[in-house]
């Protein structure tokens, strides 16, 4: 059973890392499932506190990934129309299932929302769209950091020689 759990741990954390970029996959959640698989192996050294801490971080990063587009759109000077547009663009982009859709969707949605509200200020509309694009970059960065940490934890548990090498490296 340990071998199966170890294989699943590596597969899930790797797919979780890929899911940080591919919008249709919930990257941090999959990486956390891999981390849990590793936790349930008989040879693991992962503490129960770590399981709870990484669960909280996974939840926070996942929630932030949905909230950031509207929030950073507002910070860039966007109105409620821009926030709603960014959220709608994110959903449409994710439904299209493409990386380009998830990146450009919130940008286009925020710009369109602002133009519908006030078509006389195109410069502000594009600034708001840029804020929405920035949210994608920040959200993806948070997801990547968490998934890389989980991947390193899983690999160091599954492959102890890697853990020794990493501890000597740092």
């Amino acid at each position: 059973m340990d071998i199966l759990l170890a294989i699943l741990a590596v597969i899930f954390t790797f797919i979780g890392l890929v899911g940080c970029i591919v919008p249709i996959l919930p990257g941090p959640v999959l990486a956390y499932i891999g981390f849990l698989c590793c936790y349930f192996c008989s040879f693991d050294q992962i503490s129960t506190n770590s399981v709870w801490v990484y669960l909280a971080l996974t939840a926070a990063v996942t929630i932030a990934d949905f909230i950031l587009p509207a929030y950073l759109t507002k910070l860039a000077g966007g109105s409620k129309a821009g926030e709603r547009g960014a959220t709608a663009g994110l959903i449409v982009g994710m439904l299209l299932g493409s990386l380009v859709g998830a990146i450009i969707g919130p940008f286009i949605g925020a710009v369109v929302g602002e133009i519908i509200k006030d078509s006389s200020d195109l410069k502000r509309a594009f600034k708001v769209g840029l804020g929405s694009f920035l949210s994608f970059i920040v959200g993806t960065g948070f997801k990547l950091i968490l998934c890389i940490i989980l991947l390193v934890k899983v690999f160091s548990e599954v492959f102890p020689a890697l853990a020794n090498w990493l501890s000597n490296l740092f």
Side-chain angles (χ1 to χ4, degrees):
M1 188 67 161
D2 279 345
I3 294 172
L4 176 63
L5 284 173
I7 291 170
L8 288 173
V10 170
I11 290 171
F12 273 112
T13 51
F14 181 72
I15 292 173
L17 187 62
V18 171
C20 292
I21 308 297
V22 177
I24 201 160
L25 295 173
V29 174
L30 291 172
Y32 183 75
I33 290 170
F35 181 72
L36 278 180
C37 287
C38 190
Y39 173 73
F40 288 116
C41 289
S42 64
F43 57 80
D44 84 279
Q45 299 294 318
I46 299 171
S47 70
T48 305
N49 288 340
S50 293
V51 170
W52 289 108
V53 167
Y54 286 115
L55 175 63
L57 288 172
T58 300
V61 166
T62 302
I63 291 168
D65 195 37
F66 286 103
I67 294 173
L68 275 174
Y71 179 72
L72 287 179
T73 298
K74 186 175 182 174
L75 277 181
S79 63
K80 286 285 184 193
E83 290 178 47
R84 289 184 188 122
T87 302
L90 174 66
I91 292 168
V92 169
M94 291 176 95
L95 288 177
L96 292 175
S98 71
L99 178 60
V100 174
I103 295 171
I104 296 178
F107 172 80
I108 291 173
V111 171
V112 168
E114 289 298 322
I115 289 174
I116 288 172
K117 181 183 178 273
D118 181 15
S119 62
S120 65
D121 195 359
L122 293 178
K123 183 178 178 183
R124 185 170 81 66
F126 279 101
K127 179 183 173 194
V128 171
L130 189 61
S132 180
F133 175 73
L134 180 64
S135 75
F136 172 80
I137 301 300
V138 170
T140 300
F142 286 149
K143 291 189 302 186
L144 279 171
I145 290 169
L146 177 62
C147 286
I148 289 170
I149 290 170
L150 290 173
L151 185 70
V152 167
K153 293 253 183 217
V154 166
F155 269 57
S156 65
E157 289 292 323
V158 173
F159 305 108
L162 179 65
N164 291 335
W165 177 75
L166 285 172
S167 66
N168 290 333
L169 186 64
F170 298 107

